[in-house]
Amino acid sequence: MIDFTFTEEQEMFRKAAREFAENQVAPRVAEMEAAGKVSEAVVRALAEAEMMALTVPEPFGGLGLGYTARMIALEEISRISVATAMMLQVFALGIEPILKFGSEAQKQKYLPDLASGKRLATTAVTEATGGSDPTGIRTSYRKDGDDYIINGRKCFITNSHIADTLTILAKDENDPKAFSAFILEKGMPGFKATHEENKVGMRGCNTGELAFEDVRVSKEQLLFTEGKGLRVTMAAIGDVGRGGMVGCALGVQAACLEASVKFSRERILYGKPISQLPTIQSKLAEMKIDLEAGRLLAYRACAIQDKGQPSSNEFAVAKYFTTEAAQKAAKMAVDIHGGYGCMQEYAVSRYLRDAFVLGPSAGTSDIMKVIIARWVLS
Amino acid sequence: MTLQIIVCVKAVPDPAQAGRIRIDPATRTLTRADVPLAFNPLDRNALEAALQIKEKSGARITVLSMGPSGAESIVRECLSLGADHGILLSDRAFAGADAYATSFTLARGIENIGKYDLILCGMASSDGATEWVGPQIASFLGIPAATQVEELTQADSQTLIVRSGMENGYRLMEIKLPALLTATRKLNRPRALSFSGIIKARKKQIVQWGLQDLGLAEDQVGQAASPTVVSAMTTRTARRQVEFIEGSIEEKAEILVQRLAQAGLI
Ligand SMILES: Cc1cc2nc3c(=O)[nH]c(=O)nc-3n(C[C@@H](O)[C@H](O)[C@H](O)COP(=O)(O)OP(=O)(O)OC[C@H]3O[C@@H](n4cnc5c(N)ncnc54)[C@H](O)[C@@H]3O)c2cc1C
Ligand SMILES: Cc1cc2nc3c(=O)[nH]c(=O)nc-3n(C[C@H](O)[C@H](O)[C@H](O)COP(=O)(O)OP(=O)(O)OC[C@H]3O[C@@H](n4cnc5c(N)ncnc54)[C@H](O)[C@@H]3O)c2cc1C
């Protein structure tokens, strides 16, 4: 028999994450929205609550709790602040390549500080040439003795300006078919975070551009085998990156449903709460159906991931379903709120903006379908 | 010698879902079955006080709760927050206890634990809210009690200095251990649950004691041993009436004052 229930311990993780989100993150949402910037206090609180340590194994200073626990945490944090969940999910996305492909020395050097939050992480693949086609990137490297020299630019990178440790993908200057991944560190000569985006949604997380001008790195910074960089970055994005977006999406779905239930119970029209109107009920039911279905997809994919099996196809399905559902839920939530839904005082207007940013991150819905079609046709 | 602290924790119906609690008119009790159990809020302050003492000067913290088997999750939460050991008093015979029977059973549980220096309770539960259980436990055990504690310092290993709130001031007391205190919200800011705390609690034990473990007979516990009789219980329906006051700002203010005066509110 398949047990679809959470363990008592997992329920406690959810409680801990919910308390964290409500006590530490919620009071700073307004400030993050207005400033369009990361709240340092939130980053500190995430580190103190050991949120960066969830997926890091215990020998490297982490909690070794795996991906189901991470999904629970992301879902609860996103319910309060999608931007904070996004930032956190990309910390894990930045940790994953080192965890899965790093040498023992690289793991020893980076993982403990990444787990404690002393260093922050990201993974940078996307460039102006198109995120959907990572082979189209122009950032290049060439060998110079034992070193590599990297040149190029990245765009739309989460945590671009706050990350200390970055996994980046570059192409061999002399072989356009060879890609390699490198670990860069903030402050390396020639490496700069440049433009910072002003996003419509997820305003409390940082997205921006990176520039590499003759960045010289030693071979210790090469991640995994030279020429196998696409595998390194795509493996991390495929399950941890997509899984993270699923957590963010589920949080939006839950928040939309909660806000809609509350508003529709309180809003009186024709002498009774609008929650009694069949059209409103139909919307609430649809949101609930999508949330339940989305959770099943999400936690099944996590169960596979926690077994150490490939889960990127299952996460492609979950990512497609939940991010689309989150956008649908946000629209319905705004609709249920009538004119109030268009006002910034009502959180649903933020959910709508945030929900749209869920789309492209870690691959668009079109790309998810490409992946899923490849899966069914294989 | 390590200080032995016992914290009494009650699993209450989640205050956030109080709207789902119903009264059973036949038994004059509350139907709480549909409402998930939660940590009685003030007991979190009591536990926090114990944890702070443990951090400062070392202590072993035992959590004691009487309740249905579902209350074990609350005890587990206490262990996740840093308590060392949990005891759940659970037996069908304990059901229907009033504050007297509850206190008696808890006091028996404490005697069963053996050595203790300090017992911490919440000032009140969020459901029963009699505020009797703490002082009654102290009286069954024959130890001093200080209620409504807002501030707590250790003078030496055997003495505490506590400050208790009063309507127009406070009482400052020196209290010799063993003693019982009841905690208020002002006492401290309870810490948050942490993922690593939850992991550490995996290795901690919760034991369950029933009637026989406490060496009690059925007529000494539960409803059978509860002297209080609830003679009636009713739900209050809050009715809201809305009246929109029209007119200029001055007129509106004038009418508002009249209405409030008529209602006897000013
Ligand atoms: C509607 C209603 C009517 C009631 N009527 C009566 C009545 O008429 N007479 C009467 O005596 N009682 C009555 N009770 C209270 C009784 O059933 C209590 O719920 C129970 O006996 C504990 O008392 P309390 O909740 O008032 O605790 P309080 O004295 O308010 O609790 C103080 C502290 O004692 C500790 N504590 C209390 N209960 C436990 C427990 N089970 N396990 C561990 N620690 C605990 C906690 O630290 C708590 O913070 C009533 C309760 C309800 C809900
Ligand atoms: C908030 C945010 C955070 C991000 N964080 C990161 C990060 O941390 N690291 C990182 O590397 N990247 C990051 N990205 C980039 C993200 O991965 C890309 O935006 C995404 O892959 C899409 O790339 P693009 O924006 O260049 O769109 P394009 O690839 O140019 O796509 C344009 C359109 O073409 C469609 N399309 C493309 N290919 C196909 C196809 N084969 N079939 C059908 N339709 C297709 C797309 O669906 C889309 O509608 C982030 C993006 C956002 C918005």
Side-chain angles (χ1 to χ4, degrees):
Chain A
M1 201 182 80
I2 304 173
D3 186 355
F4 283 107
T5 59
F6 290 110
T7 64
E8 193 192 347
E9 182 173 274
Q10 287 166 336
E11 295 289 4
M12 196 109 62
F13 288 148
R14 187 176 293 284
K15 187 167 185 178
R18 179 168 291 216
E19 277 182 15
F20 169 80
E22 288 176 351
N23 298 331
Q24 304 286 334
V25 183
R28 290 167 180 130
V29 168
E31 162 204 325
M32 289 190 271
E33 279 301 298
K37 290 224 180 298
V38 171
S39 155
E40 279 177 29
V42 167
V43 177
R44 242 189 338 264
L46 284 168
E48 274 167 23
E50 306 157 301
M51 291 292 176
M52 286 78 140
L54 297 181
T55 57
V56 179
E58 281 165 302
F60 298 107
L63 296 175
L65 284 173
Y67 301 97
T68 303
R70 172 189 184 233
M71 183 65 76
I72 291 171
L74 285 175
E75 204 188 335
E76 289 301 325
I77 293 171
S78 175
R79 176 179 157 267
I80 297 296
S81 165
V82 191
T84 303
M86 178 69 176
M87 169 166 71
L88 178 62
Q89 99 90 342
V90 178
F91 290 151
L93 172 61
I95 289 171
E96 189 73 5
I98 301 178
L99 196 66
K100 288 277 153 73
F101 296 96
S103 66
E104 194 55 31
Q106 287 169 333
K107 289 187 195 174
Q108 295 286 359
K109 178 171 177 192
Y110 291 110
L111 292 179
D113 283 354
L114 292 172
S116 71
K118 202 170 146 201
R119 281 170 190 260
L120 306 176
T122 190
T123 290
V125 173
T126 306
E127 299 186 13
T129 48
S132 304
D133 174 19
T135 62
I137 60 164
R138 296 221 179 106
T139 294
S140 67
Y141 66 90
R142 84 179 120 84
K143 251 193 141 134
D144 185 41
D146 262 357
D147 295 344
Y148 295 91
I149 296 176
I150 301 169
N151 278 288
R153 292 177 166 273
K154 298 279 172 191
C155 68
F156 299 156
I157 305 306
T158 308
N159 302 337
S160 54
H161 289 59
I162 61 170
D164 307 281
T165 305
L166 308 88
T167 297
I168 68 138
L169 185 68
K171 199 181 222 172
D172 188 337
E173 224 176 76
N174 304 311
D175 178 2
K177 290 222 162 60
F179 295 84
S180 293
F182 297 93
I183 305 173
L184 294 199
E185 289 176 26
K186 192 181 223 164
M188 283 181 163
F191 168 42
K192 272 207 308 271
T194 52
H195 173 68
E196 208 171 338
E197 302 292 349
N198 184 11
K199 299 190 297 302
V200 294
M202 291 193 201
R203 290 179 56 73
C205 71
N206 151 238
T207 316
E209 297 185 359
L210 305 172
F212 320 110
E213 278 175 44
D214 289 327
V215 180
R216 175 180 289 273
V217 299
S218 70
K219 65 176 193 302
E220 276 73 48
Q221 301 311 112
L222 175 70
L223 190 51
F224 200 50
T225 316
E226 194 179 333
K228 295 271 196 275
L230 266 179
R231 197 175 134 203
V232 171
T233 49
M234 289 305 126
I237 293 173
D239 37 34
V240 173
R242 268 175 226 154
M245 295 320 299
V246 172
C248 293
L250 288 174
V252 175
Q253 288 181 260
C256 288
L257 179 56
E258 260 175 63
S260 301
V261 166
K262 180 168 187 289
F263 184 86
S264 62
R265 279 202 172 127
E266 286 168 0
R267 178 66 172 163
I268 310 283
L269 292 178
Y270 321 105
K272 56 183 200 272
I274 60 169
S275 60
Q276 292 181 18
L277 300 173
T279 330
I280 302 285
Q281 289 188 354
S282 161
K283 287 188 168 119
L284 296 177
E286 252 180 79
M287 283 191 226
K288 180 66 173 166
I289 292 165
D290 281 354
L291 180 57
E292 290 292 319
R295 283 199 173 130
L296 285 174
L297 291 172
Y299 286 101
R300 183 179 123 77
C302 287
I304 297 171
Q305 193 180 16
D306 275 333
K307 279 191 171 168
Q309 293 170 0
S311 53
S312 59
N313 287 331
E314 285 79 2
F315 274 121
V317 174
K319 203 253 168 193
Y320 176 87
F321 184 86
T322 56
T323 56
E324 292 285 330
Q327 294 176 357
K328 229 167 72 185
K331 181 180 182 299
M332 285 191 275
V334 167
D335 288 345
I336 288 173
H337 281 66
Y340 300 98
C342 308
M343 306 302 153
Q344 297 220 344
E345 289 88 326
Y346 283 80
V348 287
S349 68
R350 168 165 61 86
Y351 303 156
L352 187 66
R353 291 183 289 104
D354 287 345
F356 271 86
V357 185
L358 294 170
S361 317
T364 64
S365 283
D366 296 325
I367 292 299
M368 292 308 112
K369 279 191 175 166
V370 170
I371 293 164
I372 295 161
R374 197 190 299 144
W375 183 26
V376 297
L377 292 171
S378 68
Chain B
M1 277 295 284
T2 328
L3 213 59
Q4 301 288 329
I5 305 179
I6 296 169
V7 184
C8 297
V9 171
K10 185 179 185 184
V12 294
D14 189 349
Q17 304 199 31
R20 285 161 69 181
I21 304 173
R22 300 272 172 275
I23 291 175
D24 180 339
T27 60
R28 290 190 284 272
T29 54
L30 300 179
T31 316
R32 312 166 184 181
D34 315 340
V35 191
L37 291 172
F39 207 129
N40 179 44
L42 290 178
D43 297 353
R44 234 172 136 158
N45 295 90
L47 177 61
E48 179 62 32
L51 293 169
Q52 288 182 10
I53 293 173
K54 180 179 167 177
E55 280 164 0
K56 221 176 270 162
S57 42
R60 180 178 157 79
I61 303 173
T62 301
V63 169
L64 179 66
S65 184
M66 179 175 110
S69 57
E72 186 176 323
S73 66
I74 305 301
V75 178
R76 176 71 52 197
E77 195 173 328
C78 296
L79 300 184
S80 301
L81 285 162
D84 300 293
H85 183 58
I87 294 166
L88 180 65
L89 304 182
S90 199
D91 194 306
R92 202 174 281 172
F94 298 157
D98 68 0
Y100 180 90
T102 301
S103 315
F104 176 74
T105 313
L106 287 171
R108 259 311 167 91
I110 291 167
E111 284 170 342
N112 223 32
I113 293 169
K115 197 188 149 2
Y116 56 86
D117 299 293
L118 177 62
I119 299 166
L120 287 158
C121 291
M123 177 186 84
S125 67
S126 62
D127 59 343
T130 62
E131 301 183 26
W132 295 337
V133 171
Q136 285 181 161
I137 291 174
S139 110
F140 282 122
L141 296 174
I143 59 172
T147 56
Q148 304 188 26
V149 173
E150 320 182 322
E151 221 178 271
L152 166 63
T153 42
Q154 284 172 282
D156 58 55
S157 66
Q158 285 311 304
T159 324
L160 298 178
I161 295 174
V162 300
R163 202 179 102 152
S164 290
M166 288 168 66
E167 209 167 323
N168 299 313
Y170 60 85
R171 284 168 296 178
L172 200 58
M173 293 168 282
E174 203 179 80
I175 190 162
K176 277 245 173 303
L177 298 180
L180 182 145
L181 310 178
T182 74
T184 62
R185 215 152 49 107
K186 287 187 189 160
L187 183 57
N188 48 43
R189 248 190 91 218
R191 70 197 54 199
L193 260 179
S194 73
F195 280 57
S196 58
I198 296 170
I199 297 172
K200 281 189 198 125
R202 283 175 185 165
K203 294 205 190 84
K204 299 177 183 171
Q205 275 206 332
I206 300 176
V207 295
Q208 194 165 321
W209 286 344
L211 197 59
Q212 290 185 343
D213 301 293
L214 299 186
L216 292 171
E218 250 176 67
D219 60 358
Q220 289 178 287
V221 296
Q223 193 137 35
S226 294
T228 355
V229 178
V230 179
S231 57
M233 209 183 322
T234 52
T235 15
R236 272 179 44 178
T237 40
R239 281 185 182 280
R240 272 189 288 186
Q241 270 185 341
V242 180
E243 180 190 344
F244 284 99
I245 301 171
E246 311 279 347
S248 68
I249 290 176
E250 288 78 10
E251 285 164 353
K252 282 187 198 167
E254 185 78 18
I255 298 169
L256 181 63
V257 170
Q258 275 175 21
R259 291 284 186 280
L260 290 175
Q262 280 165 3
L265 292 170
I266 51 174

